[in-house]
Amino acid sequence: MKIIAVMSPKGGIGKTTTADSVAYILGEEYGKRVLVLDGDPQGDTSKTFGAYEPEGIGLSELLERHVNVGGDYRTSELIQTTRYEHIDIVPANGYLMRTDMNLMLKQEENQVTRLRDALEEVSGAYDYCICDCGRLLDMVVINILLSASLVIAPAKVGGYENEALRNLEEQVEDLKKFNPDLRIKIIMTMRQKNKTSLDMELWLHEEYGWNMFTTPIRRSIIAEKASMAMKPLPEFSRRGIVSQDYRSMVEELMREV
């Protein structure tokens, strides 16, 4: 099972849309067995895949109450099916904020590797695990990144994007001490055909080179409509330009991993 995290410290950048679209395309269009892991307390990915419950169980229990740490849950018991044949999910809700605090207070070796250990249980059942991370590098996200081999980092035109990317790059570099296989790959989102956007795209390619997806994701109001409908973008707009962009991105991803 290839574990891929989608993370950005910036909001409104298409992070969850990217995670959900990649998972949907891999599962429903390529027929891959996909496990989605929602690592954001807002639970937007859980809502997209119809698994959000404010009081429900999911990633919090996986991290705090797994049998590996003396709890009463196995990973398979916390995975929910979705309305999509090839996609299952470990959902999340606001309790993840409490989980972060609880893990932070623990002085145990496995406080940052609990997820990696728990996912071993189902590693043979899925081809991909796509993780939607929260914006903060908290204990939940650290657990995700120490499990993953790739971080997809969405970036868009904006005054603070360069600094945010460099900060994320530094954070990933620090975590390589514990997960040497971890690497980062940038995807430009909300790209428009104007000079500012094209200059930003050129800068990203010059700065990050092969660590960036060739395909940019164009801006479209359809992406916002899909999130309002709580559906993966490629399902909501099968022929839309942004769905086509994500398909090209997934082709790149599959060639690499």
mmCIF file of all heavy atoms in Angstrom, residues 82-126:
data_model
loop_
_atom_site.group_PDB
_atom_site.id
_atom_site.type_symbol
_atom_site.label_atom_id
_atom_site.label_comp_id
_atom_site.label_asym_id
_atom_site.label_seq_id
_atom_site.Cartn_x
_atom_site.Cartn_y
_atom_site.Cartn_z
ATOM 1 N N THR A 82 -17.679 3.219 1.649
ATOM 2 C CA THR A 82 -18.337 4.414 1.109
ATOM 3 C C THR A 82 -19.293 3.982 0.005
ATOM 4 O O THR A 82 -19.419 2.796 -0.290
ATOM 5 C CB THR A 82 -17.300 5.403 0.521
ATOM 6 O OG1 THR A 82 -16.743 4.850 -0.682
ATOM 7 C CG2 THR A 82 -16.182 5.682 1.521
ATOM 8 N N ARG A 83 -19.930 4.954 -0.596
ATOM 9 C CA ARG A 83 -20.848 4.616 -1.704
ATOM 10 C C ARG A 83 -20.088 4.249 -2.971
ATOM 11 O O ARG A 83 -20.701 3.891 -3.976
ATOM 12 C CB ARG A 83 -21.794 5.791 -1.983
ATOM 13 C CG ARG A 83 -21.106 7.090 -2.380
ATOM 14 C CD ARG A 83 -22.145 8.213 -2.580
ATOM 15 N NE ARG A 83 -21.542 9.498 -2.913
ATOM 16 C CZ ARG A 83 -21.155 10.402 -2.033
ATOM 17 N NH1 ARG A 83 -21.295 10.136 -0.729
ATOM 18 N NH2 ARG A 83 -20.632 11.556 -2.412
ATOM 19 N N TYR A 84 -18.783 4.322 -2.920
ATOM 20 C CA TYR A 84 -17.942 3.990 -4.061
ATOM 21 C C TYR A 84 -17.336 2.609 -3.864
ATOM 22 O O TYR A 84 -16.783 2.308 -2.797
ATOM 23 C CB TYR A 84 -16.838 5.048 -4.224
ATOM 24 C CG TYR A 84 -17.397 6.446 -4.314
ATOM 25 C CD1 TYR A 84 -17.309 7.318 -3.238
ATOM 26 C CD2 TYR A 84 -18.048 6.880 -5.469
ATOM 27 C CE1 TYR A 84 -17.840 8.597 -3.304
ATOM 28 C CE2 TYR A 84 -18.585 8.161 -5.546
ATOM 29 C CZ TYR A 84 -18.486 9.016 -4.456
ATOM 30 O OH TYR A 84 -19.019 10.274 -4.525
ATOM 31 N N GLU A 85 -17.396 1.810 -4.895
ATOM 32 C CA GLU A 85 -17.019 0.396 -4.796
ATOM 33 C C GLU A 85 -15.575 0.193 -4.352
ATOM 34 O O GLU A 85 -15.279 -0.725 -3.576
ATOM 35 C CB GLU A 85 -17.242 -0.276 -6.153
ATOM 36 C CG GLU A 85 -16.909 -1.761 -6.160
ATOM 37 C CD GLU A 85 -17.098 -2.396 -7.532
ATOM 38 O OE1 GLU A 85 -17.547 -1.689 -8.467
ATOM 39 O OE2 GLU A 85 -16.791 -3.603 -7.662
ATOM 40 N N HIS A 86 -14.665 1.033 -4.803
ATOM 41 C CA HIS A 86 -13.245 0.795 -4.572
ATOM 42 C C HIS A 86 -12.638 1.694 -3.495
ATOM 43 O O HIS A 86 -11.427 1.709 -3.331
ATOM 44 C CB HIS A 86 -12.466 0.983 -5.879
ATOM 45 C CG HIS A 86 -12.900 0.058 -6.966
ATOM 46 N ND1 HIS A 86 -13.777 0.431 -7.958
ATOM 47 C CD2 HIS A 86 -12.591 -1.238 -7.202
ATOM 48 C CE1 HIS A 86 -13.978 -0.589 -8.769
ATOM 49 N NE2 HIS A 86 -13.285 -1.614 -8.340
ATOM 50 N N ILE A 87 -13.472 2.460 -2.793
ATOM 51 C CA ILE A 87 -12.949 3.430 -1.833
ATOM 52 C C ILE A 87 -13.527 3.195 -0.440
ATOM 53 O O ILE A 87 -14.750 3.191 -0.261
ATOM 54 C CB ILE A 87 -13.260 4.876 -2.280
ATOM 55 C CG1 ILE A 87 -12.684 5.141 -3.679
ATOM 56 C CG2 ILE A 87 -12.709 5.886 -1.274
ATOM 57 C CD1 ILE A 87 -13.109 6.479 -4.277
ATOM 58 N N ASP A 88 -12.655 3.010 0.525
ATOM 59 C CA ASP A 88 -13.026 2.954 1.939
ATOM 60 C C ASP A 88 -12.398 4.141 2.649
ATOM 61 O O ASP A 88 -11.521 4.816 2.102
ATOM 62 C CB ASP A 88 -12.537 1.647 2.580
ATOM 63 C CG ASP A 88 -13.223 0.415 2.006
ATOM 64 O OD1 ASP A 88 -14.329 0.558 1.455
ATOM 65 O OD2 ASP A 88 -12.644 -0.686 2.097
ATOM 66 N N ILE A 89 -12.817 4.387 3.894
ATOM 67 C CA ILE A 89 -12.333 5.577 4.591
ATOM 68 C C ILE A 89 -12.212 5.363 6.093
ATOM 69 O O ILE A 89 -13.003 4.612 6.685
ATOM 70 C CB ILE A 89 -13.277 6.776 4.301
ATOM 71 C CG1 ILE A 89 -12.691 8.080 4.854
ATOM 72 C CG2 ILE A 89 -14.676 6.527 4.847
ATOM 73 C CD1 ILE A 89 -13.451 9.332 4.412
ATOM 74 N N VAL A 90 -11.215 5.995 6.683
ATOM 75 C CA VAL A 90 -11.150 6.194 8.135
ATOM 76 C C VAL A 90 -11.502 7.659 8.349
ATOM 77 O O VAL A 90 -10.695 8.541 8.022
ATOM 78 C CB VAL A 90 -9.754 5.887 8.706
ATOM 79 C CG1 VAL A 90 -9.735 6.157 10.216
ATOM 80 C CG2 VAL A 90 -9.355 4.442 8.426
ATOM 81 N N PRO A 91 -12.698 7.952 8.857
ATOM 82 C CA PRO A 91 -13.157 9.338 8.939
ATOM 83 C C PRO A 91 -12.569 10.084 10.133
ATOM 84 O O PRO A 91 -11.873 9.506 10.977
ATOM 85 C CB PRO A 91 -14.669 9.187 9.074
ATOM 86 C CG PRO A 91 -14.851 7.866 9.756
ATOM 87 C CD PRO A 91 -13.723 6.989 9.283
ATOM 88 N N ALA A 92 -12.875 11.370 10.191
ATOM 89 C CA ALA A 92 -12.396 12.213 11.287
ATOM 90 C C ALA A 92 -13.473 13.226 11.655
ATOM 91 O O ALA A 92 -14.403 13.484 10.898
ATOM 92 C CB ALA A 92 -11.110 12.930 10.896
ATOM 93 N N ASN A 93 -13.312 13.800 12.829
ATOM 94 C CA ASN A 93 -14.181 14.893 13.283
ATOM 95 C C ASN A 93 -13.393 15.750 14.276
ATOM 96 O O ASN A 93 -12.175 15.600 14.412
ATOM 97 C CB ASN A 93 -15.475 14.341 13.914
ATOM 98 C CG ASN A 93 -15.196 13.292 14.985
ATOM 99 O OD1 ASN A 93 -14.232 13.414 15.751
ATOM 100 N ND2 ASN A 93 -16.016 12.248 15.042
ATOM 101 N N GLY A 94 -14.071 16.620 14.977
ATOM 102 C CA GLY A 94 -13.405 17.559 15.871
ATOM 103 C C GLY A 94 -12.613 16.925 16.997
ATOM 104 O O GLY A 94 -11.758 17.585 17.610
ATOM 105 N N TYR A 95 -12.867 15.663 17.289
ATOM 106 C CA TYR A 95 -12.122 14.986 18.354
ATOM 107 C C TYR A 95 -10.632 14.855 18.027
ATOM 108 O O TYR A 95 -9.823 14.586 18.915
ATOM 109 C CB TYR A 95 -12.718 13.599 18.623
ATOM 110 C CG TYR A 95 -14.010 13.647 19.410
ATOM 111 C CD1 TYR A 95 -15.227 13.390 18.789
ATOM 112 C CD2 TYR A 95 -14.019 13.961 20.768
ATOM 113 C CE1 TYR A 95 -16.423 13.452 19.488
ATOM 114 C CE2 TYR A 95 -15.208 14.013 21.479
ATOM 115 C CZ TYR A 95 -16.406 13.762 20.837
ATOM 116 O OH TYR A 95 -17.583 13.827 21.543
ATOM 117 N N LEU A 96 -10.281 15.043 16.760
ATOM 118 C CA LEU A 96 -8.860 14.969 16.396
ATOM 119 C C LEU A 96 -8.035 16.028 17.122
ATOM 120 O O LEU A 96 -6.849 15.819 17.387
ATOM 121 C CB LEU A 96 -8.680 15.141 14.885
ATOM 122 C CG LEU A 96 -8.629 13.885 14.020
ATOM 123 C CD1 LEU A 96 -8.236 14.244 12.601
ATOM 124 C CD2 LEU A 96 -7.692 12.833 14.584
ATOM 125 N N MET A 97 -8.637 17.171 17.453
ATOM 126 C CA MET A 97 -7.906 18.202 18.193
ATOM 127 C C MET A 97 -7.551 17.701 19.585
ATOM 128 O O MET A 97 -6.452 17.935 20.093
ATOM 129 C CB MET A 97 -8.733 19.486 18.266
ATOM 130 C CG MET A 97 -8.878 20.182 16.920
ATOM 131 S SD MET A 97 -9.713 21.781 17.013
ATOM 132 C CE MET A 97 -11.405 21.246 17.281
ATOM 133 N N ARG A 98 -8.459 16.969 20.197
ATOM 134 C CA ARG A 98 -8.175 16.381 21.510
ATOM 135 C C ARG A 98 -7.119 15.290 21.385
ATOM 136 O O ARG A 98 -6.231 15.166 22.246
ATOM 137 C CB ARG A 98 -9.465 15.794 22.090
ATOM 138 C CG ARG A 98 -9.313 15.234 23.507
ATOM 139 C CD ARG A 98 -10.531 14.448 23.906
ATOM 140 N NE ARG A 98 -10.703 13.268 23.050
ATOM 141 C CZ ARG A 98 -11.771 12.477 23.090
ATOM 142 N NH1 ARG A 98 -12.777 12.754 23.912
ATOM 143 N NH2 ARG A 98 -11.856 11.422 22.297
ATOM 144 N N THR A 99 -7.198 14.514 20.314
ATOM 145 C CA THR A 99 -6.202 13.469 20.083
ATOM 146 C C THR A 99 -4.804 14.061 19.965
ATOM 147 O O THR A 99 -3.838 13.523 20.514
ATOM 148 C CB THR A 99 -6.550 12.683 18.800
ATOM 149 O OG1 THR A 99 -7.791 12.000 18.996
ATOM 150 C CG2 THR A 99 -5.465 11.675 18.448
ATOM 151 N N ASP A 100 -4.695 15.185 19.263
ATOM 152 C CA ASP A 100 -3.400 15.863 19.138
ATOM 153 C C ASP A 100 -2.842 16.217 20.514
ATOM 154 O O ASP A 100 -1.660 15.956 20.802
ATOM 155 C CB ASP A 100 -3.564 17.123 18.289
ATOM 156 C CG ASP A 100 -2.335 18.023 18.350
ATOM 157 O OD1 ASP A 100 -1.230 17.515 18.122
ATOM 158 O OD2 ASP A 100 -2.496 19.217 18.639
ATOM 159 N N MET A 101 -3.671 16.780 21.359
ATOM 160 C CA MET A 101 -3.217 17.160 22.705
ATOM 161 C C MET A 101 -2.833 15.936 23.525
ATOM 162 O O MET A 101 -1.823 15.937 24.242
ATOM 163 C CB MET A 101 -4.300 17.965 23.415
ATOM 164 C CG MET A 101 -4.506 19.354 22.839
ATOM 165 S SD MET A 101 -5.611 20.386 23.817
ATOM 166 C CE MET A 101 -7.170 19.551 23.556
ATOM 167 N N ASN A 102 -3.635 14.887 23.432
ATOM 168 C CA ASN A 102 -3.340 13.669 24.191
ATOM 169 C C ASN A 102 -2.010 13.056 23.770
ATOM 170 O O ASN A 102 -1.220 12.606 24.610
ATOM 171 C CB ASN A 102 -4.465 12.648 24.010
ATOM 172 C CG ASN A 102 -5.746 13.071 24.709
ATOM 173 O OD1 ASN A 102 -5.733 13.964 25.563
ATOM 174 N ND2 ASN A 102 -6.855 12.455 24.347
ATOM 175 N N LEU A 103 -1.754 13.022 22.460
ATOM 176 C CA LEU A 103 -0.492 12.463 21.977
ATOM 177 C C LEU A 103 0.694 13.339 22.372
ATOM 178 O O LEU A 103 1.783 12.833 22.664
ATOM 179 C CB LEU A 103 -0.535 12.299 20.457
ATOM 180 C CG LEU A 103 -1.457 11.216 19.903
ATOM 181 C CD1 LEU A 103 -1.428 11.222 18.381
ATOM 182 C CD2 LEU A 103 -1.067 9.838 20.421
ATOM 183 N N MET A 104 0.469 14.647 22.370
ATOM 184 C CA MET A 104 1.547 15.562 22.724
ATOM 185 C C MET A 104 1.999 15.360 24.173
ATOM 186 O O MET A 104 3.170 15.544 24.513
ATOM 187 C CB MET A 104 1.084 17.008 22.515
ATOM 188 C CG MET A 104 2.226 18.015 22.437
ATOM 189 S SD MET A 104 1.614 19.691 22.173
ATOM 190 C CE MET A 104 0.664 19.469 20.676
ATOM 191 N N LEU A 105 1.062 14.986 25.027
ATOM 192 C CA LEU A 105 1.374 14.818 26.449
ATOM 193 C C LEU A 105 2.068 13.502 26.751
ATOM 194 O O LEU A 105 2.656 13.335 27.820
ATOM 195 C CB LEU A 105 0.087 14.923 27.272
ATOM 196 C CG LEU A 105 -0.579 16.304 27.296
ATOM 197 C CD1 LEU A 105 -1.947 16.227 27.966
ATOM 198 C CD2 LEU A 105 0.305 17.311 28.010
ATOM 199 N N LYS A 106 1.999 12.571 25.812
ATOM 200 C CA LYS A 106 2.599 11.259 26.055
ATOM 201 C C LYS A 106 4.100 11.301 25.785
ATOM 202 O O LYS A 106 4.552 11.902 24.830
ATOM 203 C CB LYS A 106 1.943 10.197 25.170
ATOM 204 C CG LYS A 106 0.500 9.915 25.553
ATOM 205 C CD LYS A 106 -0.073 8.788 24.737
ATOM 206 C CE LYS A 106 -1.537 8.534 25.104
ATOM 207 N NZ LYS A 106 -1.691 8.119 26.506
ATOM 208 N N GLN A 107 4.845 10.663 26.640
ATOM 209 C CA GLN A 107 6.297 10.578 26.461
ATOM 210 C C GLN A 107 6.655 9.126 26.137
ATOM 211 O O GLN A 107 7.281 8.427 26.916
ATOM 212 C CB GLN A 107 7.013 11.048 27.736
ATOM 213 C CG GLN A 107 6.717 12.479 28.111
ATOM 214 C CD GLN A 107 7.208 13.465 27.068
ATOM 215 O OE1 GLN A 107 8.296 13.296 26.514
ATOM 216 N NE2 GLN A 107 6.413 14.487 26.776
ATOM 217 N N GLU A 108 6.179 8.693 24.984
ATOM 218 C CA GLU A 108 6.404 7.312 24.570
ATOM 219 C C GLU A 108 7.038 7.300 23.187
ATOM 220 O O GLU A 108 6.808 8.188 22.377
ATOM 221 C CB GLU A 108 5.077 6.542 24.531
ATOM 222 C CG GLU A 108 4.351 6.511 25.881
ATOM 223 C CD GLU A 108 2.943 5.955 25.741
ATOM 224 O OE1 GLU A 108 2.574 5.545 24.619
ATOM 225 O OE2 GLU A 108 2.222 5.935 26.745
ATOM 226 N N GLU A 109 7.826 6.270 22.934
ATOM 227 C CA GLU A 109 8.513 6.172 21.646
ATOM 228 C C GLU A 109 7.543 6.133 20.478
ATOM 229 O O GLU A 109 7.823 6.660 19.408
ATOM 230 C CB GLU A 109 9.403 4.919 21.625
ATOM 231 C CG GLU A 109 10.722 5.107 22.344
ATOM 232 C CD GLU A 109 11.646 3.932 22.129
ATOM 233 O OE1 GLU A 109 11.433 3.190 21.149
ATOM 234 O OE2 GLU A 109 12.567 3.763 22.931
ATOM 235 N N ASN A 110 6.407 5.493 20.672
ATOM 236 C CA ASN A 110 5.504 5.272 19.543
ATOM 237 C C ASN A 110 4.478 6.393 19.364
ATOM 238 O O ASN A 110 3.545 6.244 18.591
ATOM 239 C CB ASN A 110 4.783 3.934 19.690
ATOM 240 C CG ASN A 110 3.776 3.929 20.848
ATOM 241 O OD1 ASN A 110 3.678 4.896 21.598
ATOM 242 N ND2 ASN A 110 3.052 2.838 20.994
ATOM 243 N N GLN A 111 4.631 7.502 20.042
ATOM 244 C CA GLN A 111 3.619 8.551 19.926
ATOM 245 C C GLN A 111 3.573 9.160 18.527
ATOM 246 O O GLN A 111 2.560 9.732 18.137
ATOM 247 C CB GLN A 111 3.845 9.645 20.975
ATOM 248 C CG GLN A 111 5.079 10.506 20.741
ATOM 249 C CD GLN A 111 5.325 11.455 21.896
ATOM 250 O OE1 GLN A 111 6.353 11.404 22.536
ATOM 251 N NE2 GLN A 111 4.382 12.329 22.159
ATOM 252 N N VAL A 112 4.648 9.033 17.745
ATOM 253 C CA VAL A 112 4.652 9.575 16.381
ATOM 254 C C VAL A 112 4.647 8.480 15.316
ATOM 255 O O VAL A 112 4.641 8.784 14.119
ATOM 256 C CB VAL A 112 5.865 10.511 16.159
ATOM 257 C CG1 VAL A 112 5.730 11.756 17.005
ATOM 258 C CG2 VAL A 112 7.170 9.800 16.413
ATOM 259 N N THR A 113 4.641 7.235 15.724
ATOM 260 C CA THR A 113 4.639 6.136 14.749
ATOM 261 C C THR A 113 3.417 5.228 14.919
ATOM 262 O O THR A 113 3.355 4.150 14.340
ATOM 263 C CB THR A 113 5.915 5.281 14.881
ATOM 264 O OG1 THR A 113 6.009 4.751 16.211
ATOM 265 C CG2 THR A 113 7.148 6.110 14.579
ATOM 266 N N ARG A 114 2.454 5.672 15.691
ATOM 267 C CA ARG A 114 1.265 4.837 15.935
ATOM 268 C C ARG A 114 0.498 4.540 14.654
ATOM 269 O O ARG A 114 0.035 3.421 14.439
ATOM 270 C CB ARG A 114 0.340 5.537 16.936
ATOM 271 C CG ARG A 114 0.887 5.590 18.349
ATOM 272 C CD ARG A 114 -0.089 6.248 19.287
ATOM 273 N NE ARG A 114 0.366 6.147 20.665
ATOM 274 C CZ ARG A 114 -0.435 6.192 21.712
ATOM 275 N NH1 ARG A 114 -1.742 6.338 21.545
ATOM 276 N NH2 ARG A 114 0.044 6.099 22.936
ATOM 277 N N LEU A 115 0.350 5.557 13.823
ATOM 278 C CA LEU A 115 -0.409 5.348 12.588
ATOM 279 C C LEU A 115 0.305 4.374 11.671
ATOM 280 O O LEU A 115 -0.320 3.489 11.081
ATOM 281 C CB LEU A 115 -0.634 6.682 11.873
ATOM 282 C CG LEU A 115 -1.455 6.581 10.587
ATOM 283 C CD1 LEU A 115 -2.873 6.109 10.881
ATOM 284 C CD2 LEU A 115 -1.487 7.918 9.854
ATOM 285 N N ARG A 116 1.605 4.527 11.534
ATOM 286 C CA ARG A 116 2.379 3.624 10.680
ATOM 287 C C ARG A 116 2.200 2.179 11.129
ATOM 288 O O ARG A 116 1.990 1.277 10.306
ATOM 289 C CB ARG A 116 3.856 4.009 10.720
ATOM 290 C CG ARG A 116 4.742 3.147 9.824
ATOM 291 C CD ARG A 116 6.108 3.773 9.667
ATOM 292 N NE ARG A 116 6.848 3.824 10.931
ATOM 293 C CZ ARG A 116 7.977 4.512 11.100
ATOM 294 N NH1 ARG A 116 8.481 5.226 10.116
ATOM 295 N NH2 ARG A 116 8.584 4.502 12.256
ATOM 296 N N ASP A 117 2.244 1.955 12.430
ATOM 297 C CA ASP A 117 2.073 0.600 12.967
ATOM 298 C C ASP A 117 0.659 0.090 12.704
ATOM 299 O O ASP A 117 0.465 -1.074 12.339
ATOM 300 C CB ASP A 117 2.369 0.585 14.472
ATOM 301 C CG ASP A 117 3.811 0.962 14.790
ATOM 302 O OD1 ASP A 117 4.658 0.848 13.886
ATOM 303 O OD2 ASP A 117 4.075 1.375 15.935
ATOM 304 N N ALA A 118 -0.339 0.957 12.884
ATOM 305 C CA ALA A 118 -1.734 0.541 12.698
ATOM 306 C C ALA A 118 -2.049 0.229 11.240
ATOM 307 O O ALA A 118 -2.811 -0.700 10.935
ATOM 308 C CB ALA A 118 -2.674 1.620 13.227
ATOM 309 N N LEU A 119 -1.471 0.995 10.315
ATOM 310 C CA LEU A 119 -1.742 0.778 8.894
ATOM 311 C C LEU A 119 -1.088 -0.495 8.361
ATOM 312 O O LEU A 119 -1.520 -1.033 7.332
ATOM 313 C CB LEU A 119 -1.284 1.983 8.073
ATOM 314 C CG LEU A 119 -2.124 3.257 8.231
ATOM 315 C CD1 LEU A 119 -1.533 4.400 7.411
ATOM 316 C CD2 LEU A 119 -3.583 3.016 7.834
ATOM 317 N N GLU A 120 -0.076 -0.975 9.057
ATOM 318 C CA GLU A 120 0.552 -2.233 8.658
ATOM 319 C C GLU A 120 -0.472 -3.353 8.607
ATOM 320 O O GLU A 120 -0.381 -4.268 7.787
ATOM 321 C CB GLU A 120 1.675 -2.593 9.633
ATOM 322 C CG GLU A 120 3.000 -1.905 9.358
ATOM 323 C CD GLU A 120 3.623 -2.392 8.071
ATOM 324 O OE1 GLU A 120 3.537 -3.587 7.762
ATOM 325 O OE2 GLU A 120 4.205 -1.546 7.352
ATOM 326 N N GLU A 121 -1.459 -3.274 9.480
ATOM 327 C CA GLU A 121 -2.483 -4.319 9.572
ATOM 328 C C GLU A 121 -3.259 -4.493 8.270
ATOM 329 O O GLU A 121 -3.712 -5.596 7.947
ATOM 330 C CB GLU A 121 -3.448 -3.978 10.717
ATOM 331 C CG GLU A 121 -4.551 -4.988 10.941
ATOM 332 C CD GLU A 121 -5.591 -4.496 11.931
ATOM 333 O OE1 GLU A 121 -5.209 -3.852 12.935
ATOM 334 O OE2 GLU A 121 -6.789 -4.748 11.694
ATOM 335 N N VAL A 122 -3.430 -3.394 7.506
ATOM 336 C CA VAL A 122 -4.252 -3.463 6.282
ATOM 337 C C VAL A 122 -3.435 -3.160 5.030
ATOM 338 O O VAL A 122 -4.005 -2.904 3.966
ATOM 339 C CB VAL A 122 -5.444 -2.479 6.379
ATOM 340 C CG1 VAL A 122 -6.384 -2.886 7.507
ATOM 341 C CG2 VAL A 122 -4.963 -1.041 6.557
ATOM 342 N N SER A 123 -2.122 -3.205 5.135
ATOM 343 C CA SER A 123 -1.272 -2.820 4.007
ATOM 344 C C SER A 123 -1.464 -3.716 2.780
ATOM 345 O O SER A 123 -1.236 -3.288 1.647
ATOM 346 C CB SER A 123 0.206 -2.813 4.423
ATOM 347 O OG SER A 123 0.611 -4.114 4.811
ATOM 348 N N GLY A 124 -1.897 -4.935 2.989
ATOM 349 C CA GLY A 124 -2.112 -5.838 1.860
ATOM 350 C C GLY A 124 -3.496 -5.735 1.245
ATOM 351 O O GLY A 124 -3.756 -6.321 0.191
ATOM 352 N N ALA A 125 -4.374 -4.961 1.880
ATOM 353 C CA ALA A 125 -5.763 -4.881 1.416
ATOM 354 C C ALA A 125 -6.000 -3.739 0.431
ATOM 355 O O ALA A 125 -7.039 -3.696 -0.232
ATOM 356 C CB ALA A 125 -6.699 -4.723 2.608
ATOM 357 N N TYR A 126 -5.053 -2.814 0.343
ATOM 358 C CA TYR A 126 -5.239 -1.624 -0.497
ATOM 359 C C TYR A 126 -4.002 -1.350 -1.340
ATOM 360 O O TYR A 126 -2.885 -1.705 -0.967
ATOM 361 C CB TYR A 126 -5.541 -0.393 0.377
ATOM 362 C CG TYR A 126 -6.810 -0.521 1.176
ATOM 363 C CD1 TYR A 126 -6.780 -0.975 2.493
ATOM 364 C CD2 TYR A 126 -8.047 -0.209 0.620
ATOM 365 C CE1 TYR A 126 -7.948 -1.113 3.234
ATOM 366 C CE2 TYR A 126 -9.222 -0.343 1.349
ATOM 367 C CZ TYR A 126 -9.164 -0.793 2.656
ATOM 368 O OH TYR A 126 -10.323 -0.932 3.374
#
